[in-house]
Amino acid sequence: MPQPRTSEPGSHPYLRAATAGIRHHTRSLNRSPLPHPVDRAQLDTLHAHLTELHRLIDQLAQTARPPHPGAGRQLAAAHTRLWQAATDIHAAFHLLPATSTRTTECRPEELPEGPPFLTICQRHLAAGHIVRRKTTPTDLHRAPHTTSCVR
């Protein structure tokens, strides 16, 4: 599968590095002889990637909307779908078995791994505040639309 090209060789180096890291992780999971069950650390890292991508799409939508309203609307729709994905990852995190007998509710101080610097719950709540300021509850629960490429 051909890799997507950026407009300039040095454009968005951090985003390209993050994408390469995700591709590497996906390939390593596919190559392992025995399937490894997902763990909380993987979902926490994936949630961190999704929430950061969510913030990036939000910024891009704000800058695209005035000169290109159609592109801004599409980015806003992607923004909503990313939030829905992050919400599902957060829910899956709490459905995985805990490594100890302690509770798995949204209480960072009681997570089996201990409270890291920024837990998945804290990150999710912080991102939720941004989402509620910019998105209506109807938009959040709307089914994603499908589009076809016109080119």
Side-chain angles (χ1 to χ4, degrees):
M1 177 181 220
Q3 299 300 321
R5 295 182 151 215
T6 58
S7 56
E8 301 172 13
S11 67
H12 313 291
Y14 298 116
L15 186 58
R16 288 188 5 234
T19 302
I22 291 172
R23 283 188 192 129
H24 173 75
H25 183 71
T26 303
R27 277 190 232 120
S28 69
L29 286 175
N30 290 336
R31 287 185 195 147
S32 59
L34 298 173
H36 296 283
V38 67
D39 63 7
R40 287 179 156 209
Q42 288 175 322
L43 290 184
D44 186 30
T45 302
L46 183 58
H47 186 269
H49 281 291
L50 283 174
T51 53
E52 287 304 313
L53 188 56
H54 183 260
R55 287 179 40 192
L56 176 62
I57 295 290
D58 183 40
Q59 292 173 355
L60 292 175
Q62 288 177 0
T63 59
R65 193 166 278 151
H68 307 288
R73 281 191 299 276
Q74 292 296 320
L75 288 171
H79 180 261
T80 300
R81 287 192 292 275
L82 277 171
W83 173 250
Q84 292 167 339
T87 298
D88 289 339
I89 295 294
H90 178 249
F93 176 89
H94 288 292
L95 292 174
L96 286 178
T99 56
S100 71
T101 58
R102 297 167 72 184
T103 182
T104 60
E105 294 177 18
C106 260
R107 292 186 214 152
E109 69 279 359
E110 294 183 11
L111 285 174
E113 300 82 25
F117 176 73
L118 183 63
T119 67
I120 188 172
C121 300
Q122 291 171 326
R123 185 184 322 110
H124 197 71
L125 289 171
H129 290 297
I130 296 168
V131 169
R132 282 189 291 280
R133 284 193 313 233
K134 298 182 177 199
T135 312
T136 66
T138 304
D139 289 338
L140 291 176
H141 296 293
R142 184 179 302 153
H145 68 281
T146 57
T147 60
S148 61
C149 186
V150 294
R151 292 183 184 214

